[in-house]
Amino acid sequence: MTRRTPTTPGLRAWAELLRLPALFTVPGDALAGAAAVAARPSSRTLLAIGASLCLYEAGMALNDWADRDEDAAERPHRPLPSGRIRPTAALTAACVGTAAGLALAHRAGRPALAVAAPLAATVWAYDLGLKHTPAGPAAMAAARGLDLLLGAAATTGRIRPALRPATLLSGHTLAVTTVSRHETRGGSTLAPLTALAATGAVTSRLLSVGATTASTPATRTARPRTRPTAKDALRAALAAVYATTATRGYAHAALNPSPPLTQRAVGGGIRATIPLQAALSARSGTPVPALLTAALAPIAATFAKKVSVT
């Protein structure tokens, strides 16, 4: 008979602390950023993805470290209040993840580091102070937008063409974060209703005519289209998946703002990040990164059945 190894509970606890399923929402930021500047993903894009993953997980560990007293009262099953992970270990993980993320961004070049540094500062400011203030959702939205710009900066050194997709991604994140502020207590109908409106606005921009924005001399002059292309169909399909994934939970939470339904709405909003990133890549006229990003959704869904995304 084989004994269970004592490391298994520890691995499970770390997967919960770092919200493992949410990790799959990160690579699409850099890919969408690279697509926005009309560039193929390169080794520097991979470095940006690595930096984003490290900074994201550092934020997750720091989040639970900062909220350990609050979680002890409201979510005692979380890894820190339950005693499965020590607070000092979580704080150490946050510091190591931040250092590793900045180091990878430095390897990707000065423009990437110039974006990664304020991204890291935003993450720490959010977890240590801004989270429980009115500025909290805006800070989280800024962090997600900066993450997309990190991919653009690392790939080509330019970020200006990526500002519009970064704004759309930030708008979605702002909506999700606003709803998440009520996930333990519920009671808010306005937050999910506002999130529904924001999702509709983002979807409208994804579907807008002439959205493809490859900023190269050959594509700066818009050409009139008489019939939809395969890229248009892909963009529309991904936009529909995004809208469906996000709005279902928001609608249920608006009708019944209980904590369980609000938590489901937050989970749906987080999962919707992946098809949104894919739609942004398709919107920029790069179907391969869009399909690669979309392929992460079923993987995230599989892990979400075992580990909570919130």
Short mmCIF file of all heavy atoms in Angstrom, two decimals, residues 137 172-196 198-199 246 249-251 253-254 257-259 261-269:
data_model
loop_
_atom_site.label_atom_id
_atom_site.label_comp_id
_atom_site.label_asym_id
_atom_site.label_seq_id
_atom_site.Cartn_x
_atom_site.Cartn_y
_atom_site.Cartn_z
N PRO A 137 -10.86 49.49 -6.92
CA PRO A 137 -11.15 48.93 -8.24
C PRO A 137 -10.35 49.60 -9.36
O PRO A 137 -9.89 48.94 -10.30
CB PRO A 137 -12.65 49.18 -8.40
CG PRO A 137 -13.18 49.21 -7.01
CD PRO A 137 -12.09 49.87 -6.21
N HIS A 172 -13.07 46.16 -18.17
CA HIS A 172 -13.61 44.87 -17.72
C HIS A 172 -13.15 44.57 -16.30
O HIS A 172 -13.95 44.15 -15.44
CB HIS A 172 -13.14 43.76 -18.67
CG HIS A 172 -13.34 42.39 -18.13
ND1 HIS A 172 -14.58 41.79 -18.03
CD2 HIS A 172 -12.45 41.48 -17.64
CE1 HIS A 172 -14.45 40.58 -17.51
NE2 HIS A 172 -13.17 40.38 -17.26
N THR A 173 -11.87 44.78 -16.03
CA THR A 173 -11.32 44.49 -14.69
C THR A 173 -11.96 45.38 -13.64
O THR A 173 -12.21 44.94 -12.51
CB THR A 173 -9.79 44.69 -14.71
OG1 THR A 173 -9.22 43.88 -15.75
CG2 THR A 173 -9.19 44.29 -13.38
N LEU A 174 -12.21 46.63 -13.99
CA LEU A 174 -12.87 47.55 -13.06
C LEU A 174 -14.24 47.02 -12.67
O LEU A 174 -14.63 47.05 -11.49
CB LEU A 174 -13.00 48.93 -13.72
CG LEU A 174 -13.69 50.02 -12.90
CD1 LEU A 174 -12.89 50.35 -11.66
CD2 LEU A 174 -13.89 51.27 -13.75
N ALA A 175 -14.98 46.49 -13.64
CA ALA A 175 -16.31 45.95 -13.36
C ALA A 175 -16.24 44.74 -12.44
O ALA A 175 -16.98 44.63 -11.46
CB ALA A 175 -17.00 45.59 -14.67
N VAL A 176 -15.33 43.81 -12.76
CA VAL A 176 -15.19 42.59 -11.94
C VAL A 176 -14.79 42.94 -10.51
O VAL A 176 -15.34 42.40 -9.54
CB VAL A 176 -14.16 41.62 -12.56
CG1 VAL A 176 -13.99 40.39 -11.68
CG2 VAL A 176 -14.58 41.21 -13.95
N THR A 177 -13.82 43.83 -10.38
CA THR A 177 -13.33 44.19 -9.04
C THR A 177 -14.40 44.89 -8.22
O THR A 177 -14.51 44.68 -7.01
CB THR A 177 -12.08 45.09 -9.16
OG1 THR A 177 -11.13 44.48 -10.03
CG2 THR A 177 -11.45 45.29 -7.80
N THR A 178 -15.20 45.71 -8.86
CA THR A 178 -16.29 46.38 -8.16
C THR A 178 -17.29 45.38 -7.60
O THR A 178 -17.75 45.50 -6.46
CB THR A 178 -17.00 47.38 -9.09
OG1 THR A 178 -16.06 48.34 -9.57
CG2 THR A 178 -18.13 48.09 -8.37
N VAL A 179 -17.62 44.37 -8.39
CA VAL A 179 -18.52 43.31 -7.91
C VAL A 179 -17.87 42.51 -6.79
O VAL A 179 -18.53 42.13 -5.81
CB VAL A 179 -18.93 42.38 -9.08
CG1 VAL A 179 -19.79 41.22 -8.56
CG2 VAL A 179 -19.70 43.16 -10.14
N SER A 180 -16.57 42.26 -6.90
CA SER A 180 -15.88 41.41 -5.91
C SER A 180 -15.86 42.03 -4.52
O SER A 180 -15.69 41.32 -3.53
CB SER A 180 -14.44 41.14 -6.37
OG SER A 180 -13.63 42.30 -6.23
N ARG A 181 -16.03 43.32 -4.41
CA ARG A 181 -16.04 43.96 -3.10
C ARG A 181 -17.24 43.55 -2.26
O ARG A 181 -17.31 43.81 -1.06
CB ARG A 181 -16.02 45.49 -3.27
CG ARG A 181 -14.71 46.00 -3.86
CD ARG A 181 -14.84 47.41 -4.37
NE ARG A 181 -14.86 48.41 -3.32
CZ ARG A 181 -13.78 49.00 -2.81
NH1 ARG A 181 -12.59 48.67 -3.28
NH2 ARG A 181 -13.87 49.91 -1.87
N HIS A 182 -18.22 42.86 -2.88
CA HIS A 182 -19.42 42.43 -2.17
C HIS A 182 -19.54 40.91 -2.10
O HIS A 182 -20.59 40.40 -1.70
CB HIS A 182 -20.66 43.00 -2.87
CG HIS A 182 -20.64 44.49 -3.05
ND1 HIS A 182 -21.02 45.37 -2.06
CD2 HIS A 182 -20.25 45.25 -4.10
CE1 HIS A 182 -20.89 46.62 -2.50
NE2 HIS A 182 -20.42 46.57 -3.74
N GLU A 183 -18.47 40.19 -2.47
CA GLU A 183 -18.62 38.74 -2.60
C GLU A 183 -18.77 38.00 -1.28
O GLU A 183 -19.34 36.91 -1.25
CB GLU A 183 -17.45 38.15 -3.40
CG GLU A 183 -16.10 38.28 -2.75
CD GLU A 183 -15.01 37.65 -3.61
OE1 GLU A 183 -15.33 36.70 -4.35
OE2 GLU A 183 -13.86 38.10 -3.55
N THR A 184 -18.29 38.55 -0.18
CA THR A 184 -18.43 37.86 1.10
C THR A 184 -19.72 38.23 1.82
O THR A 184 -20.20 37.46 2.66
CB THR A 184 -17.24 38.16 2.03
OG1 THR A 184 -17.15 39.57 2.25
CG2 THR A 184 -15.95 37.65 1.40
N ARG A 185 -20.31 39.38 1.50
CA ARG A 185 -21.51 39.83 2.20
C ARG A 185 -22.72 39.98 1.29
O ARG A 185 -23.85 39.98 1.76
CB ARG A 185 -21.22 41.16 2.90
CG ARG A 185 -20.10 41.07 3.94
CD ARG A 185 -19.76 42.42 4.52
NE ARG A 185 -18.64 42.34 5.45
CZ ARG A 185 -18.07 43.38 6.03
NH1 ARG A 185 -18.53 44.60 5.78
NH2 ARG A 185 -17.05 43.22 6.85
N GLY A 186 -22.48 40.14 -0.01
CA GLY A 186 -23.59 40.31 -0.94
C GLY A 186 -24.31 41.62 -0.71
O GLY A 186 -23.77 42.56 -0.13
N GLY A 187 -25.56 41.68 -1.18
CA GLY A 187 -26.40 42.83 -0.90
C GLY A 187 -26.36 43.95 -1.91
O GLY A 187 -27.12 44.91 -1.79
N SER A 188 -25.49 43.88 -2.93
CA SER A 188 -25.40 44.97 -3.89
C SER A 188 -26.01 44.56 -5.22
O SER A 188 -25.56 43.61 -5.85
CB SER A 188 -23.94 45.38 -4.10
OG SER A 188 -23.84 46.32 -5.15
N THR A 189 -27.03 45.28 -5.63
CA THR A 189 -27.60 45.09 -6.97
C THR A 189 -26.96 46.02 -7.98
O THR A 189 -26.80 45.68 -9.16
CB THR A 189 -29.12 45.34 -6.93
OG1 THR A 189 -29.73 44.39 -6.04
CG2 THR A 189 -29.73 45.18 -8.31
N LEU A 190 -26.54 47.20 -7.51
CA LEU A 190 -25.97 48.20 -8.41
C LEU A 190 -24.67 47.71 -9.04
O LEU A 190 -24.43 47.94 -10.24
CB LEU A 190 -25.72 49.49 -7.64
CG LEU A 190 -25.08 50.65 -8.43
CD1 LEU A 190 -25.98 51.04 -9.60
CD2 LEU A 190 -24.80 51.83 -7.51
N ALA A 191 -23.81 47.04 -8.26
CA ALA A 191 -22.50 46.61 -8.78
C ALA A 191 -22.64 45.65 -9.96
O ALA A 191 -22.03 45.88 -11.02
CB ALA A 191 -21.67 45.98 -7.66
N PRO A 192 -23.43 44.57 -9.85
CA PRO A 192 -23.56 43.69 -11.02
C PRO A 192 -24.28 44.35 -12.18
O PRO A 192 -23.99 44.05 -13.35
CB PRO A 192 -24.34 42.49 -10.48
CG PRO A 192 -24.99 42.95 -9.23
CD PRO A 192 -24.07 43.98 -8.66
N LEU A 193 -25.23 45.26 -11.91
CA LEU A 193 -25.89 45.98 -13.00
C LEU A 193 -24.89 46.86 -13.75
O LEU A 193 -24.91 46.94 -14.98
CB LEU A 193 -27.04 46.82 -12.45
CG LEU A 193 -28.32 46.08 -12.05
CD1 LEU A 193 -29.33 47.04 -11.43
CD2 LEU A 193 -28.93 45.36 -13.25
N THR A 194 -24.02 47.52 -12.99
CA THR A 194 -22.99 48.35 -13.61
C THR A 194 -22.03 47.48 -14.42
O THR A 194 -21.58 47.86 -15.51
CB THR A 194 -22.22 49.12 -12.53
OG1 THR A 194 -23.13 49.92 -11.77
CG2 THR A 194 -21.16 50.01 -13.16
N ALA A 195 -21.72 46.30 -13.89
CA ALA A 195 -20.83 45.38 -14.60
C ALA A 195 -21.47 44.89 -15.90
O ALA A 195 -20.78 44.72 -16.91
CB ALA A 195 -20.49 44.18 -13.71
N LEU A 196 -22.78 44.68 -15.88
CA LEU A 196 -23.49 44.31 -17.11
C LEU A 196 -23.36 45.40 -18.17
O LEU A 196 -23.10 45.13 -19.35
CB LEU A 196 -24.96 44.04 -16.81
CG LEU A 196 -25.31 42.68 -16.20
CD1 LEU A 196 -26.77 42.68 -15.75
CD2 LEU A 196 -25.06 41.56 -17.20
N ALA A 198 -20.99 47.68 -18.35
CA ALA A 198 -19.60 47.75 -18.78
C ALA A 198 -19.28 46.64 -19.78
O ALA A 198 -18.58 46.86 -20.77
CB ALA A 198 -18.67 47.66 -17.57
N THR A 199 -19.80 45.44 -19.51
CA THR A 199 -19.57 44.33 -20.43
C THR A 199 -20.18 44.62 -21.79
O THR A 199 -19.59 44.32 -22.83
CB THR A 199 -20.17 43.03 -19.85
OG1 THR A 199 -19.58 42.77 -18.57
CG2 THR A 199 -19.90 41.85 -20.77
N ALA A 246 -19.33 36.48 -19.06
CA ALA A 246 -19.38 37.52 -18.03
C ALA A 246 -20.79 37.84 -17.58
O ALA A 246 -21.06 37.98 -16.37
CB ALA A 246 -18.69 38.79 -18.55
N GLY A 249 -23.33 35.45 -14.91
CA GLY A 249 -23.19 35.60 -13.46
C GLY A 249 -23.64 36.96 -12.96
O GLY A 249 -24.27 37.06 -11.90
N TYR A 250 -23.34 38.01 -13.73
CA TYR A 250 -23.77 39.34 -13.33
C TYR A 250 -25.29 39.44 -13.25
O TYR A 250 -25.85 40.05 -12.33
CB TYR A 250 -23.26 40.38 -14.32
CG TYR A 250 -21.75 40.55 -14.36
CD1 TYR A 250 -21.12 40.99 -15.53
CD2 TYR A 250 -20.97 40.28 -13.25
CE1 TYR A 250 -19.74 41.16 -15.57
CE2 TYR A 250 -19.59 40.44 -13.28
CZ TYR A 250 -18.99 40.88 -14.46
OH TYR A 250 -17.63 41.05 -14.51
N ALA A 251 -25.97 38.84 -14.23
CA ALA A 251 -27.43 38.89 -14.25
C ALA A 251 -28.03 38.19 -13.04
O ALA A 251 -28.96 38.69 -12.40
CB ALA A 251 -27.95 38.28 -15.54
N ALA A 253 -26.57 37.69 -10.14
CA ALA A 253 -26.26 38.46 -8.94
C ALA A 253 -27.12 39.71 -8.84
O ALA A 253 -27.46 40.16 -7.74
CB ALA A 253 -24.79 38.83 -8.92
N ALA A 254 -27.48 40.29 -9.98
CA ALA A 254 -28.34 41.47 -9.96
C ALA A 254 -29.74 41.12 -9.47
O ALA A 254 -30.38 41.89 -8.75
CB ALA A 254 -28.41 42.09 -11.35
N PRO A 257 -28.65 39.30 -5.09
CA PRO A 257 -27.28 39.62 -4.69
C PRO A 257 -26.83 38.92 -3.41
O PRO A 257 -26.34 39.56 -2.47
CB PRO A 257 -27.33 41.14 -4.51
CG PRO A 257 -28.73 41.41 -4.07
CD PRO A 257 -29.58 40.42 -4.82
N SER A 258 -26.98 37.61 -3.37
CA SER A 258 -26.52 36.84 -2.22
C SER A 258 -25.02 36.59 -2.36
O SER A 258 -24.47 36.65 -3.47
CB SER A 258 -27.26 35.51 -2.15
OG SER A 258 -26.97 34.72 -3.30
N PRO A 259 -24.32 36.30 -1.26
CA PRO A 259 -22.89 36.03 -1.37
C PRO A 259 -22.54 34.91 -2.35
O PRO A 259 -21.62 35.09 -3.17
CB PRO A 259 -22.50 35.67 0.08
CG PRO A 259 -23.46 36.44 0.91
CD PRO A 259 -24.76 36.38 0.15
N LEU A 261 -24.09 33.84 -5.09
CA LEU A 261 -24.28 34.28 -6.47
C LEU A 261 -23.33 35.40 -6.84
O LEU A 261 -22.89 35.51 -7.99
CB LEU A 261 -25.73 34.69 -6.70
CG LEU A 261 -26.76 33.56 -6.70
CD1 LEU A 261 -28.16 34.10 -6.98
CD2 LEU A 261 -26.40 32.50 -7.74
N THR A 262 -23.01 36.25 -5.88
CA THR A 262 -22.03 37.30 -6.14
C THR A 262 -20.65 36.69 -6.39
O THR A 262 -19.92 37.13 -7.28
CB THR A 262 -21.97 38.28 -4.97
OG1 THR A 262 -23.27 38.84 -4.75
CG2 THR A 262 -20.99 39.41 -5.26
N GLN A 263 -20.30 35.66 -5.62
CA GLN A 263 -19.02 34.98 -5.84
C GLN A 263 -18.98 34.31 -7.20
O GLN A 263 -17.95 34.33 -7.89
CB GLN A 263 -18.79 33.96 -4.72
CG GLN A 263 -18.51 34.58 -3.36
CD GLN A 263 -18.59 33.59 -2.22
OE1 GLN A 263 -18.61 32.38 -2.44
NE2 GLN A 263 -18.65 34.10 -1.00
N ARG A 264 -20.10 33.72 -7.62
CA ARG A 264 -20.16 33.13 -8.96
C ARG A 264 -20.00 34.19 -10.03
O ARG A 264 -19.37 33.95 -11.06
CB ARG A 264 -21.48 32.38 -9.14
CG ARG A 264 -21.62 31.10 -8.32
CD ARG A 264 -22.93 30.42 -8.63
NE ARG A 264 -23.16 29.28 -7.75
CZ ARG A 264 -24.25 28.52 -7.79
NH1 ARG A 264 -25.21 28.79 -8.66
NH2 ARG A 264 -24.38 27.50 -6.96
N ALA A 265 -20.59 35.35 -9.80
CA ALA A 265 -20.46 36.44 -10.76
C ALA A 265 -19.00 36.88 -10.89
O ALA A 265 -18.52 37.13 -12.00
CB ALA A 265 -21.33 37.62 -10.33
N VAL A 266 -18.30 36.95 -9.77
CA VAL A 266 -16.88 37.31 -9.80
C VAL A 266 -16.08 36.25 -10.55
O VAL A 266 -15.23 36.56 -11.39
CB VAL A 266 -16.34 37.50 -8.37
CG1 VAL A 266 -14.83 37.74 -8.40
CG2 VAL A 266 -17.04 38.66 -7.69
N GLY A 267 -16.38 34.98 -10.25
CA GLY A 267 -15.68 33.90 -10.94
C GLY A 267 -15.92 33.95 -12.44
O GLY A 267 -14.99 33.75 -13.24
N GLY A 268 -17.16 34.22 -12.84
CA GLY A 268 -17.47 34.34 -14.26
C GLY A 268 -16.75 35.50 -14.90
O GLY A 268 -16.27 35.41 -16.03
N GLY A 269 -16.66 36.62 -14.17
CA GLY A 269 -15.94 37.77 -14.69
C GLY A 269 -14.46 37.49 -14.88
O GLY A 269 -13.85 37.91 -15.88
#
